[in-house]
Amino acid sequence: MLVAIQKAQGKIKPTHLMYKANLSHKLLNSYLGDLIKRDMAQELQVDKVHKFIILTDKGRDFLIQFRKIKEFQESFGL
Amino acid sequence: MTVAISHVWYWDCIIELIMVAILALISFHSYSIYKIMRENKYKWFSYSFFAIALAFVGRIAMNFIIYTHQIRRVVSGAVIATFRQTNASDVLWHYGLFTYRSLMLIGLLGIFLIITDSKEKKNWILMFYLAALTAFTSMQIPYIFNLSTAVILGLIFVKFAQNYIKHPRRSTFGVTAAFLTIFFSQVTFIFVSFNHSLYIAGEIIQLLGYLLLLAVYVAILRVR
């Protein structure tokens, strides 16, 4: 989900996120709630109708850390 | 009076210090990943690299005894005092050598068991017993240690080569090349008793191997 938001220049509509992350509506809301709770993403209400999901700095840092861990893991075959 | 045979070359201490730093960096990085992921393999991987780092620290300390301690003194009044000093440092040197070899073998075996995903406790116990036995035997037949480390490094290289085939990228190639280089250094050390200058070649090849590991580590840190 975080990668999908990052690829959309850090701002994405919930429905687009659902398709990009290949999740059901229920799962999207569940995971999104988790991410917002952990300050990795936040909701931005533009007007009464439009809402965006924003990647926070903490979310960006987490992605960098995650990629480093993955790189270490693959480099050493762990 | 015993005479410790040393190579008249002080650069190995500096080279080994660089290797200690590289091993410590990788060890701490692996441990920091363990703190996030809470998977034991990262912890044991960290401990294995740390064991090898400690092995080199011990070796540096051991080499200082050879390089800085005067073994022979041709002064009639001080002969008895010199003999006692030599005896103490000789014991320290032997314990240091055994510790260095044990830690090196344990560290390398740890890496091998982790990358081959060996979870059986019995395998670990057996391997560490064989490491201690090899270290003890190599006190009498030195090349046994280099032969054993070469075999373990060869197996580690094969595993990393398989990993490179599965994930062909620069970092996996770097790790594979690093361990292949370190393997060649150990093969070089086997023949040191025939030609002492091979010790210098072995140390340089070993350093190159660890520098390759450092390059991989730096590349990992630069991932965005």
Side-chain angles (χ1 to χ4, degrees):
Chain A
M1 281 171 71
L2 291 174
V3 170
I5 303 170
Q6 192 180 47
K7 279 186 178 167
Q9 314 300 321
K11 186 170 138 183
I12 194 169
K13 287 185 181 173
T15 38
H16 291 178
L17 180 59
M18 192 171 78
Y19 293 129
K20 298 270 185 209
N22 199 26
L23 295 166
S24 64
H25 185 73
K26 191 179 171 188
L27 271 176
L28 174 79
N29 284 333
S30 168
Y31 294 155
L32 197 56
D34 256 340
L35 289 175
I36 291 169
K37 205 166 134 190
R38 289 168 201 274
D39 287 327
M40 290 187 192
Q42 65 186 52
E43 281 181 348
L44 178 70
Q45 197 80 41
V46 174
D47 52 41
K48 280 183 187 171
V49 177
H50 297 105
K51 187 168 78 171
F52 286 93
I53 309 298
I54 310 280
L55 186 66
T56 60
D57 285 340
K58 194 173 176 185
R60 226 169 263 118
D61 290 341
F62 173 82
L63 270 176
I64 292 169
Q65 274 291 93
F66 179 77
R67 285 191 185 115
K68 284 182 184 168
I69 290 171
K70 201 158 176 265
E71 187 69 20
F72 185 90
Q73 194 181 30
E74 281 179 7
S75 301
F76 290 98
L78 295 171
Chain B
M1 188 169 81
T2 51
V3 178
I5 297 167
S6 76
H7 305 279
V8 186
W9 192 54
Y10 300 87
W11 284 97
D12 56 357
C13 290
I14 295 165
I15 285 172
E16 278 155 16
L17 209 59
I18 295 168
M19 295 193 288
V20 167
I22 295 166
L23 288 159
L25 282 171
I26 296 171
S27 171
F28 291 140
H29 191 82
S30 186
Y31 196 79
S32 68
I33 293 173
Y34 161 70
K35 276 162 69 175
I36 297 167
M37 306 282 280
R38 287 290 166 195
E39 279 181 53
N40 280 338
K41 61 180 175 185
Y42 294 105
K43 181 175 74 174
W44 293 112
F45 199 64
S46 166
Y47 288 170
S48 300
F49 273 90
F50 195 69
I52 301 171
L54 275 180
F56 280 121
V57 168
R59 203 166 124 94
I60 291 165
M62 228 173 66
N63 284 341
F64 266 124
I65 293 168
I66 300 168
Y67 294 142
T68 61
H69 193 80
Q70 203 172 357
I71 293 167
R72 186 180 288 204
R73 232 168 126 191
V74 188
V75 177
S76 60
V79 166
I80 294 170
T82 304
F83 174 79
R84 281 189 184 153
Q85 269 185 297
T86 307
N87 209 20
S89 69
D90 185 53
V91 168
L92 205 66
W93 191 82
H94 276 96
Y95 274 118
L97 186 63
F98 177 75
T99 307
Y100 157 68
R101 286 177 174 172
S102 303
L103 282 172
M104 179 63 84
L105 287 164
I106 285 168
L108 288 174
L109 280 168
I111 291 170
F112 176 70
L113 288 167
I114 291 157
I115 63 175
T116 52
D117 212 16
S118 179
K119 290 187 173 83
E120 283 272 353
K121 262 190 191 157
K122 286 174 247 177
N123 290 350
W124 285 76
I125 293 166
L126 178 65
M127 290 291 197
F128 293 148
Y129 164 72
L130 289 172
L133 194 64
T134 306
F136 183 74
T137 317
S138 71
M139 299 304 282
Q140 302 302 319
I141 313 166
Y143 73 82
I144 293 279
F145 167 72
N146 298 113
L147 187 62
S148 304
T149 48
V151 167
I152 299 165
L153 283 161
L155 292 169
I156 291 172
F157 157 72
V158 166
K159 188 66 193 166
F160 281 136
Q162 287 170 348
N163 184 50
Y164 168 66
I165 291 164
K166 210 165 131 185
H167 303 287
R169 44 209 291 175
R170 239 184 265 176
S171 57
T172 50
F173 178 76
V175 170
T176 309
F179 278 93
L180 180 64
T181 311
I182 299 167
F183 161 77
F184 279 130
S185 72
Q186 290 303 317
V187 170
T188 310
F189 285 134
I190 292 169
F191 300 101
V192 163
S193 43
F194 301 109
N195 184 352
H196 289 301
S197 60
L198 283 175
Y199 176 78
I200 297 167
E203 282 286 318
I204 291 168
I205 295 167
Q206 194 173 48
L207 176 65
L208 279 171
Y210 283 103
L211 286 174
L212 275 169
L213 268 182
L214 178 67
V216 170
Y217 173 71
V218 167
I220 290 169
L221 285 184
R222 292 171 83 173
V223 162
R224 283 277 170 263

